Amino acid sequence: MRKYLFGTGLIGAITSGLSMLKALRTGEPFTWRAALAWLSWGITAALAIGAVVDIRRASTGHLAPEDSPVAGHEKKYLKQRLER
């Protein structure tokens, strides 16, 4: 579980979300740029969580969807899990 929580994608999404929250607290006006930043953050967080889910599914022996970066490497993740 530790390798999923400390992945670079999740850490990046969390830190960028925290910096945007800090900007909201300081009273910065909410402009269209801020809305795009929040939209970008949401997409980044969704992709990071999706990658974690795909890796988890691949390591349990399930096939990953074809559009996943893990697709085709399921045997590698299953082998790593079985070695532990």
Side-chain angles (χ1 to χ4, degrees):
M1 188 62 141
R2 186 176 12 180
K3 69 179 178 179
Y4 304 122
L5 293 178
F6 296 119
T8 57
L10 284 175
I11 290 175
I14 290 169
T15 56
S16 65
L18 290 175
S19 66
M20 287 192 303
L21 278 174
K22 185 185 282 188
L24 279 178
R25 286 186 184 171
T26 60
E28 294 288 328
F30 193 80
T31 63
W32 63 273
R33 288 181 185 95
L36 287 178
W38 279 105
L39 178 67
S40 172
W41 175 81
I43 292 170
T44 302
L47 288 173
I49 292 169
V52 168
V53 169
D54 286 346
I55 291 171
R56 176 75 176 154
R57 287 183 51 93
S59 67
T60 58
H62 296 91
L63 292 177
E66 290 296 319
D67 63 344
S68 172
V70 179
H73 303 285
E74 292 92 347
K75 289 181 182 179
K76 178 181 88 170
Y77 289 105
L78 182 59
K79 182 181 174 186
Q80 288 175 354
R81 182 173 186 188
L82 293 176
E83 286 176 355
R84 287 188 266 143

